[in-house]
Each structure stands twice: as structure tokens, then as C-alpha cells.
């Protein structure tokens, strides 16, 4: 199967913060891969704009090195790299001052798509938005791309939205949640809404519960200072896991278009029950021979920030009342894995009598590693000895099913940047969604702050604190194993 590359319009893409970590690790290598796939228009330009004083040649050299390091697997041909680097320009700029802005204004073209990637801290969003208008660089067709974290709580998210709204309409603002750019996450929608099989069962009557796990093996490492102000709830649950939950729980939108999809997601967030503190388990990893513990990583022996969280979430609507969503995410866990498991109920009556250790139908959507979808079904164990039942996977590994091209699917950032150029906001968060997510998150965080809640220690390389197992045990359920 040959993947199709759909051409995009000619563009000028300005990357503010174009020398930063995100630009070098994700944005530019992603654009390079789109160039190699033949998706970059001949005259498209990528303009790095950052504080460092360098010229276009210096920037091209910096990005050449970044591509060598982060460009992904496979041979990189010198011709491809040179061809891509020829699209790059660089303007030294001061987001807070005057330097560089008239130079940027002078090189921007009028008749192409203009997109501005704010790959800088959110403290600079307002300055950038204001100067883009002051210097007549952005117009009503321009697009801006902003990164997480989008606010620290509801108040700050509202303030950020208000700042951007002074200069840009909602239809021009692309809030990135790179989880939405993942191939499997979009496949979740294809599987749900492109087949008749699943949707009739996709409700509280047939689904026992849902588990969403995002486990990492790394600790907070060098990001300790930043992470400690955030924690797993803000860093993962409020955004990425919330988006996954929405895509599972939402009603079918009537069209696959930006507002139809985002309206449905917003309804889910607004229907989330407040979470009682007894339904939350927070943890901090301990040190071992492979690395320091959380408290040493963040250099604050009294830190109460969680590096792990598990919580039970209810949704008060007709479809989901009574079916819990269990979410858990953490660092320094046993394996690096992200998956969503839809655990169906048992058939109402077993004609085969009691069968030990049956676990029923489970649909697993694996985000990493080995992206794919796997449905566990019950069959008869082969051989004589009566009707003994076993569960076997009906495996839809994309790599196996779609052949070698399945490995070439664009990385989340590549896809999302191309969506910006196309002007398609479906996979981006709308301002009201982000605010609703914070409105649900804030009281949870305030709850444990009020109680002075201290996270439980957990062993590095484990599945998190023991209490997180209890969260499901007391409901007669159990977590799926954290493994690759
Ligand atoms: P970074 O510190 O590595 O880079 C910051 C960039 O901003 C540099 O290019 C710097 O020159 C530029 N900059 C800073 N002040 C400036 C000013 N006054 N005028 C002009 N340019 C200025 O940061 P990063 O890790 O690349 O992160 C950028 C943004 O993306 C942040 O908001 C971060 O939270 C977010 N983000 C980063 C990652 C990641 O993996 N690095 C992941 C998700 C979100």
C-alpha cells in the first residue's frame, strides 16, 4: 500500500524560538521528513526567529546537526538535507523589544499561507501577538501555533486566551496537543465511527470500564525545576489524557470537521464528575541503582508534587453513567507504554458454566510502542478435554496489515504542522475546551493542596504505588500490566 502525499499550499512558516529544544528536536526534523516525502512546496520557506545572533548559514548548520541527531531512522541523503536547508531563513529577533521585527516584516510574502509557531514560553505569547500586528506582519488569514503548557490553572488559561484573542480570532489559533497528531489516536476515531461493529456496544450497558495508561520509564531528569511546578496532573492528565478520554467518550460528531468534533469533546469535559480525593492516588518515585529519586531530581526534599497519578473518573451522561474511566500516568515506571483499554462486560449468561480466570473482551488501542489495535476474543482451547475457553488477540498491527509504509506514517508534529498549513483545526484544542479542562482539574489540585496531601513513594521500575492497585481492586477490577 502506498501512502498518498496530499500537496499543501505555498507557505512562510515563522518559528519563534527556532533555536530552542522543541524546534531542534521535533519541529524542524518533522518538516524535514515532510520535505523528503515530497510534501513541501518548492518555494515554501521556514524562517527561524530567536534571540541568538546568527545568520541563515549558521541556522542551516544548526538544523543540519539537529536533523542528524533527531531526523529519525533511515539513511539521510546529502541531497535531501541540502534541498531542505535551502528552505530555511533566520532572523534574530527580540520578542520583547524592537530588534528584528522590521527585518521579518520585510521578508514576509503577501500571497502565501502565513503561519507563526510560538515555540517559546507562554510568557512571550502576548508580546509576539502584539508585535506581529504592530508591524503589519500577520493578517486575518494568518495562523498561530501555540504549545503546551496552555495555562497553569483556569485563571491563567483564561488570561492567555484573552491575550491571544486581542489579536487573533479563534479560527486562527492552533493549540497543539501532540497526542492528537498520533496516528493511532486518529485511528481510534476511524475504528469507532468507520465500523458498525463497535458503536452499538460503546456505552455503559456493554462497557465495564475503561483504562488509560501513559507510563514512562524516564524520570524528570534535567527538567526537574519545571516539572516540580507542574506534576503529572497538570503535565499529562489535564491535556493529553483528557483528550484521549474525550475521543473515547464523545458522541459521534455529525461530520469530521473541527467544530463538530470539538463541540462533542467539550460536552464530555463538561459532563465529567468532580473527583473525590478517595479516588485519587498520587506518588513519587524512589531512587535506585539506575537513578535518583524524585525528591533528589527536583532538589527539594519537601516537594509534594506527584510524578505519578491514578484516578477514577465518572461521566454523568446517558452513555457513560456507571462506567468508570481509570486513568494513570507516571514516570520511572516498569515500561514505556501508552494504551487505552476498553474492557467489555461478560456475556449475561455463560452456556459453558463457570470458567476460571476469564477476562472477556478487551479492545486495546496501543499508542506506543508498536502502534496498533488489538481485540481480545474468546475461543475454544484447541484439543480434546471439553469446552475450555481461552482468550486470544485479534491483532491489527498497522505494520503487519499495511506493509512497510505503515512505518512511514508521519510523526505527530509533522502531521499537525501540515494541518496548520492546510487550515484544518480538527486536531487542535479550542479555547473553551482548554478552559473546561482546567475548570475540572483545578478543584482536584486545590483539594490535595488544602489537605496537605503527600504523594506515596513508589519503587522505580514498578507500576506505581500499591494504593493505585487498590483503586481498582476495591471495585473488583484490576489494571492491565504495564509492559511493552
Ligand atoms: P528552549 O528554552 O529550548 O527555547 C526557547 C527559545 O525561545 C529559544 O530559541 C530562544 O532563543 C527563544 N527566546 C527566548 N526568549 C526570547 C525572546 N525574548 N525573544 C525571542 N526569542 C526568545 O524552550 P523549548 O524547550 O524549545 O520550549 C519552547 C516552548 O515549547 C515552551 O513553551 C515549552 O513549554 C513548550 N514545549 C516544549 C517541549 C519540549 O520538548 N522541549 C514539549 C512541549 C512543549
Amino acid at each position: 500500500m502506498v501512502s498518498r502525499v496530499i500537496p499543501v499550499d505555498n507557505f512562510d512558516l515563522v518559528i519563534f524560538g527556532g533555536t530552542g529544544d522543541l524546534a531542534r528536536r521535533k519541529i524542524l526534523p518533522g518538516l524535514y521528513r515532510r520535505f523528503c516525502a515530497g510534501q513541501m512546496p518548492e518555494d515554501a520557506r521556514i524562517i527561524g526567529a530567536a534571540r541568538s545572533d546568527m545568520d541563515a548559514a549558521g541556522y542551516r548548520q544548526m538544523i543540519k546537526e539537529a536533523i542528524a541527531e533527531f531526523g529519525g531512522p533511515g539513511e539521510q541523503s546529502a541531497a535531501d538535507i541540502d534541498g531542505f536547508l535551502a528552505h530555511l531563513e533566520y532572523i534574530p529577533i527580540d520578542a520583547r523589544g524592537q530588534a528584528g521585527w522590521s527585518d521579518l516584516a520585510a521578508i514576509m510574502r503577501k500571497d502565501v499561507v502565513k503561519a507563526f509557531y510560538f515555540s517559546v514560553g507562554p510568557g512571550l505569547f502576548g508580546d509576539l501577538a502584539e508585535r506581529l500586528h504592530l508591524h503589519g506582519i500577520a493578517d486575518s488569514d494568518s495562523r498561530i501555533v501555540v504549545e503546551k503548557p496552555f495555562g497553569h490553572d483556569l485563571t491563567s488559561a483564561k488570561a492567555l486566551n484573552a491575550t491571544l484573542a486581542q489579536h487573533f480570532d479563534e479560527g486562527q489559533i492552533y493549540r497543539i496537543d501532540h497526542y492528537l497528531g498520533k496516528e493511532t489516536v486518529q485511528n481510534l476515531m476511524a475504528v469507532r465511527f468507520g465500523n458498525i461493529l463497535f458503536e452499538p456496544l460503546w456505552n455503559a450497558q456493554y462497557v465495564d470500564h475503561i483504562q488509560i495508561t501513559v507510563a514512562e520509564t524516564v524520570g524528570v531528569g534535567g527538567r526537574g525545576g519545571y516539572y516540580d511546578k507542574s506534576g503529572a496532573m497538570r503535565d499529562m492528565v489535564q491535556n493529553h489524557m483528557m483528550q484521549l478520554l474525550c475521543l473515547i467518550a464523545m458522541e459521534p460528531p455529525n461530520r469530521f470537521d473541527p467544530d463538530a468534533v470539538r463541540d462533542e469533546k467539550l460536552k464530555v469535559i463538561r459532563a465529567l464528575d468532580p473527583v473525590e480525593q478517595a479516588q485519587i492516588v498520587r506518588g513519587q518515585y524512589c531512587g535506585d541503582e539506575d537513578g535518583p529519586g524524585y525528591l533528589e531530581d527536583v532538589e527539594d526534599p519537601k516537594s509534594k508534587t506527584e510524578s505519578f497519578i491514578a484516578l477514577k473518573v465518572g461521566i454523568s451522561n446517558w452513555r457513560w453513567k456507571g462506567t468508570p474511566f481509570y486513568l494513570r500516568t507516571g514516570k520511572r515506571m516498569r515500561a514505556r507504554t501508552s494504551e487505552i483499554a476498553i474492557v467489555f462486560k461478560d456475556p449475561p449468561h455463560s452456556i459453558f458454566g463457570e470458567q476460571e480466570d476469564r477476562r472477556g473482551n478487551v479492545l486495546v488501542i496501543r499508542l506506543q510502542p508498536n502502534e496498533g489495535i488489538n481485540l481480545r476474543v474468546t475461543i475454544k482451547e484447541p484439543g480434546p478435554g471439553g469446552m475450555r475457553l481461552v482468550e486470544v488477540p485479534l491483532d491489527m498491527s498497522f505494520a503487519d496489515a499495511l506493509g512497510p509504509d505503515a512505518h512511514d506514517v508521519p510523526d505527530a508534529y509533522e502531521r499537525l504542522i501540515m494541518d496548520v498549513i492546510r487550515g484544518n483545526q480538527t486536531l487542535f484544542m479550542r479555547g473553551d475546551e482548554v478552559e473546561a479542562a482546567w475548570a475540572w482539574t483545578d478543584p482536584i489540585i486545590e483539594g490535595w493542596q488544602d489537605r496537605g496531601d503527600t504523594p506515596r513513594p513508589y519503587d522505580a521500575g514498578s507500576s506505581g504505588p500499591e494504593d493505585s492497585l487498590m483503586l481498582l481492586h476495591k471495585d473488583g477490577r484490576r489494571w492491565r500490566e504495564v509492559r511493552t
Side-chain angles (χ1 to χ4, degrees):
M1 184 179 292
V2 177
S3 52
R4 281 185 303 141
V5 172
I6 300 169
V8 296
D9 290 339
N10 200 7
F11 62 83
D12 276 352
L13 168 64
V14 179
I15 305 175
F16 292 110
T19 58
D21 176 70
L22 182 69
R24 283 182 294 110
R25 258 183 337 107
K26 290 286 181 189
I27 305 173
L28 272 310
L31 285 161
Y32 164 70
R33 288 191 293 272
R34 288 295 87 208
F35 169 83
C36 295
Q39 205 173 20
M40 183 113 32
E42 224 170 282
D43 290 341
R45 288 189 316 181
I46 299 156
I47 302 157
R51 260 190 313 201
S52 313
D53 193 16
M54 65 171 98
D55 58 11
Y59 190 56
R60 287 178 186 146
Q61 182 56 33
M62 173 189 257
I63 300 308
K64 187 176 183 175
E65 287 162 21
I67 292 170
E69 195 173 352
F70 306 113
E75 265 311 91
Q76 292 173 353
S77 88
D80 275 349
I81 293 190
D82 289 346
F84 174 70
L85 295 178
H87 289 270
L88 301 192
E89 302 290 344
Y90 183 79
I91 306 260
I93 212 158
D94 180 3
R96 293 221 157 102
Q98 294 309 315
W101 287 96
S102 48
D103 298 334
L104 181 60
I107 68 160
M108 293 301 289
R109 294 174 292 179
K110 293 265 173 281
D111 50 350
V112 296
V113 171
K114 289 193 281 295
F116 302 93
Y117 202 128
F118 290 9
S119 183
V120 294
L124 294 179
F125 289 1
D127 297 291
L128 292 177
E130 192 182 318
R131 281 165 179 71
L132 281 172
H133 274 85
L134 209 64
H135 293 269
I137 300 170
D139 56 35
S140 58
D141 288 330
S142 304
R143 291 139 209 189
I144 59 167
V145 185
V146 295
E147 269 294 340
K148 89 167 198 186
F150 199 85
H152 190 70
D153 54 16
L154 178 58
T155 310
S156 54
K158 276 186 167 167
L160 264 185
N161 275 336
T163 301
L164 296 178
Q166 283 175 15
H167 301 287
F168 295 94
D169 291 338
E170 184 60 37
Q172 299 179 275
I173 305 171
Y174 291 72
R175 294 176 193 78
I176 286 223
D177 186 314
H178 71 274
Y179 269 57
L180 291 179
K182 287 178 186 281
E183 188 71 8
T184 320
V185 173
Q186 291 161 68
N187 242 316
L188 167 60
M189 285 187 277
V191 165
R192 259 195 84 180
F193 304 127
N195 297 286
I196 192 77
L197 272 184
F198 300 107
E199 198 50 27
L201 305 181
W202 209 265
N203 55 52
Q205 197 180 342
Y206 296 106
V207 176
D208 180 71
H209 72 281
I210 286 153
Q211 298 185 13
I212 306 179
T213 298
V214 178
E216 296 178 278
T217 50
V218 293
V220 297
R223 292 171 65 227
Y226 159 79
Y227 189 91
D228 201 42
K229 293 195 200 77
S230 165
M233 186 73 184
R234 288 190 171 100
D235 193 48
M236 290 299 301
V237 177
Q238 185 274 343
N239 39 44
H240 307 312
M241 298 181 86
M242 174 74 78
Q243 290 296 320
L244 298 179
L245 181 150
C246 283
L247 296 181
I248 299 164
M250 71 182 183
E251 294 301 314
N254 77 325
R255 288 182 315 280
F256 189 60
D257 87 9
D259 278 331
V261 172
R262 298 185 299 177
D263 285 347
E264 295 306 337
K265 289 196 307 184
L266 180 61
K267 283 188 217 160
V268 172
I269 302 174
R270 289 188 173 152
L272 294 178
D273 293 337
V275 182
E276 291 165 30
Q277 294 296 323
Q279 311 290 11
I280 303 173
V281 177
R282 300 165 69 230
Q284 282 176 342
Y285 56 82
C286 302
D288 65 1
E289 63 278 8
D290 292 329
Y294 181 80
L295 296 175
E296 296 149 87
D297 266 342
V298 301
E299 295 175 15
D300 175 3
K302 294 207 173 92
S303 168
K304 292 190 170 175
T305 305
E306 74 287 352
S307 65
F308 171 98
I309 187 164
L311 62 168
K312 176 181 175 182
V313 181
I315 302 180
S316 278
N317 63 19
W318 273 48
R319 187 186 280 265
W320 292 116
K321 188 74 191 171
T323 293
F325 285 62
Y326 297 98
L327 316 185
R328 82 183 145 163
T329 180
K331 296 195 175 289
R332 290 298 310 273
M333 291 179 69
R334 178 175 299 141
R336 177 169 179 259
T337 177
S338 303
E339 64 165 43
I340 301 164
I342 321 283
V343 182
F344 290 91
K345 291 184 175 171
D346 286 335
H349 166 68
S350 171
I351 66 169
F352 307 112
E354 284 285 303
Q355 296 268 336
E356 271 178 27
D357 201 29
R358 288 228 32 243
R359 279 178 290 167
N361 296 125
V362 183
L363 180 71
V364 179
I365 296 126
R366 276 192 317 263
L367 276 61
Q368 67 181 19
N370 316 321
E371 288 197 44
I373 295 180
N374 168 311
L375 175 66
R376 213 169 55 197
V377 293
T378 299
I379 61 162
K380 176 189 169 298
E381 197 173 74
M387 184 61 97
R388 289 194 314 273
L389 304 182
V390 287
E391 275 95 32
V392 294
L394 259 180
D395 212 335
M396 294 170 263
S397 156
F398 300 151
D400 294 344
L402 303 177
D405 282 341
H407 295 292
D408 294 336
V409 293
D411 155 74
Y413 273 94
E414 294 171 49
R415 170 187 312 277
L416 293 174
I417 296 169
M418 287 298 126
D419 278 356
V420 173
I421 305 298
R422 281 195 202 95
N424 185 345
Q425 289 186 305
T426 311
L427 300 176
F428 296 84
M429 294 178 296
R430 211 167 51 192
D432 51 4
E433 260 184 88
V434 177
E435 289 184 15
W438 279 120
W440 176 80
T441 309
D442 276 3
I444 298 174
I445 295 176
E446 283 157 15
W448 67 61
Q449 282 171 347
D450 289 349
R451 287 188 309 141
D453 185 79
T454 305
R456 304 349 171 230
Y458 63 92
D459 289 340
S462 72
S463 311
E466 287 282 310
D467 290 2
S468 72
L469 306 180
M470 288 310 297
L471 192 66
L472 269 74
H473 277 191
K474 64 188 180 199
D475 292 345
R477 301 179 174 114
R478 63 183 169 193
W479 287 109
R480 288 168 50 78
E481 244 181 85
V482 177
R483 61 187 160 92
T484 44

